[in-house]
Every structure is written in structure tokens, then in C-alpha cells.
Amino acid sequence: MTDHPPTIDPARHALFLDFDGTLAPIVARPEDARMPPQTRATLGALARRMDGAVAIVSGRALADLEPLLDGLDVALSGSHGHEIRMPGEETGEVPPLAEPLRAALGHLESLARSQNLRLEVKPGAITLHYRGMPHLEDMVRDEVRETAEAHAGLKPMHGNMVSEVVLDGVGKGAALRTFLSHAPFAGRRPVMIGDDVTDEDGFRAAHALGGFGIKIGVAETEAAFRLGDVPALADWLSALATRSPG
Ligand SMILES: [Mg+2]
């Protein structure tokens, strides 16, 4: 049994939030995902209150994530930590696909074509989506694992109805470490919040760096604390944003 999270100190903690299934409810088509307007307002207020030490850390590519945020200007990490954008920065040009990913692309493209899967190529990762086709999970996971094993510099990563080959060294833990080496995050205790398997790397990093993790949902986790669902997190964040100082 994992406990309800404690309150945090806006002056001493930093917040790292996953997007899908954490800030925004999971929807059938990923491009339809949206944060409730109240959550967007809460994050804006929290970012001001925490001197900017609030980041959204997503597996999505930044180019895919940004249009869903309705202009919210907080720190962002995309592609599981491979892309970083600090508040106020413009998103730069998308870098060319790294060599080990380029080598794996052909096989994953033909797999996607033959199985009618959605293939997404993003900085640092190639992703196969099988939402709506759960019977393909074992096959997709095996193919992704074998593809990663066949190419040096790649590792497999599995999430909710997605499997990806990603560059070694990429992960949400790496994103936390990058943010925490820069102002306004440096010196703060990280709190990582997420719903999926890929967030566990962030939970471990948060714990190692003097903070803690909050798991959204009922699945097994290494996070120290838990909230039941997306609305429960929205309430917890809102209480944090509106609580009087002191
Ligand atoms: Mg998620």
C-alpha cells in the first residue's frame, strides 16, 4: 500500500510531470489528448510560485507535445529526456535521426506496414503504437526488443500501448538530472509524477536525488506515494497552488 503524497515546499522542491495519463486523460487517439483548462491554469500558477521549477517530462516529441499545452510556458522535456526546452526558449530545429536509429528504421517501418501499426519517428526514439490492438502487444514487444538488441546504442522501452527503440542513455531519470544541473531547478528536491512504466526511471532518479515519486493509478511502482487518477492529481496540484504561504 502506497501513501497519499505529503505536501511540498514551493521554495525547496521541483515538480516533474508526465503528460499523458498524468496531466491529461488517456484518449483513443493521442493527438486528441488535452489538459483540462483548470490544470493548465494551476500549472501556470505553480510555476510562478515555484520560480519556474516546474517541468513537463513526456515521451512525446517536443514538436508533438507543445501544441497540446495551449501556450503554457514551462520547462519541457520530450522524447523521454532526449529533448529539453527551458521556459521562454523557442524549440530549435529537429536534429537528424541518430545513426543507430536510422539503422533500425527500415525493419520497424516494414513491420508497421504489415501489421497496420502507427509508426512514429522522433528525436531519440522510434515508436510503434498498438492502441486499439492489444492482441499485438507480445509480438510488438518481442520485435522491439530484438531490434534494439540487434543494433549497438539502442535499448527497448515499453509503455501503455506503445513500444519503442530509444538511444541508450535516454530516459526520464536523465531528464531530471539535466534539469537539476540548471537554474531554477538546481538545489531543489525533485518530485516526479507519472502513470506509466517509463516514469519509473524518473521515480528512481527523484529518490536518489533527495526527492520522491508519485505514481498515478493502481499499477505496481517504485514510487513512494500514489494518487488514484488524473483528477486526483489535479486536485493535489490545485491545493498546492492555492495554499497560503508559510
Ligand atoms: Mg503517461
Side-chain angles (χ1 to χ4, degrees):
M1 188 62 206
T2 319
D3 292 332
H4 191 81
T7 190
I8 65 167
D9 182 344
R12 294 180 195 281
H13 285 90
L15 279 181
F16 300 95
L17 300 129
D18 170 51
F19 185 74
D20 294 273
T22 299
L23 293 172
I26 298 282
V27 291
R29 301 187 326 151
E31 59 271 34
D32 293 336
R34 290 294 181 281
M35 251 191 306
Q38 183 58 48
T39 303
R40 185 194 172 287
T42 296
L43 283 184
L46 267 178
R48 284 189 295 278
R49 187 159 195 183
M50 298 177 71
D51 291 322
V54 174
I56 298 177
V57 179
S58 174
R60 289 179 185 257
L62 278 190
D64 180 27
L65 176 64
E66 282 182 319
L68 308 179
L69 301 180
D70 195 20
L72 177 69
D73 189 22
V74 297
L76 301 178
S77 170
S79 305
H80 304 294
H82 187 68
E83 300 176 279
I84 298 277
R85 198 203 74 179
M86 298 305 275
E89 281 181 7
E90 295 285 319
T91 301
E93 274 187 30
V94 177
L97 198 61
E99 177 49 44
L101 289 171
R102 219 175 326 146
L105 182 59
H107 175 66
L108 296 174
E109 273 177 339
S110 57
L111 179 72
R113 215 175 304 121
S114 68
Q115 301 294 327
N116 209 16
L117 300 166
R118 192 160 78 80
L119 179 94
E120 184 187 0
V121 179
K122 55 194 185 186
I126 301 171
T127 308
L128 287 168
H129 296 260
Y130 55 91
R131 185 166 299 284
M133 298 180 279
H135 58 286
L136 295 181
E137 176 169 278
D138 288 348
M139 182 277 292
V140 173
R141 288 185 172 215
D142 288 349
E143 286 282 349
V144 161
R145 196 187 62 249
E146 286 164 19
T147 305
E149 281 168 3
H151 299 276
L154 297 181
K155 63 180 177 180
M157 201 181 265
H158 308 293
N160 183 354
M161 301 291 166
V162 298
S163 259
E164 328 186 53
V165 290
V166 304
L167 293 175
D168 273 341
V170 165
K172 294 199 178 183
L176 263 65
R177 289 191 175 84
T178 301
F179 280 123
L180 286 163
S181 64
H182 293 90
F185 295 93
R188 290 172 176 256
R189 293 178 179 271
V191 177
M192 173 73 208
I193 307 175
D195 70 305
D196 208 346
V197 184
T198 53
D199 298 307
E200 296 290 326
D201 187 51
F203 298 150
R204 285 189 289 273
H207 187 74
L209 295 163
F212 57 85
I214 304 175
K215 169 80 172 181
I216 307 302
V218 296
E220 203 176 306
T221 185
E222 293 182 45
F225 302 99
R226 192 189 292 278
L227 287 165
D229 52 20
V230 172
L233 172 64
D235 288 347
W236 185 78
L237 292 171
S238 173
L240 203 60
T242 54
R243 212 179 60 245
S244 57

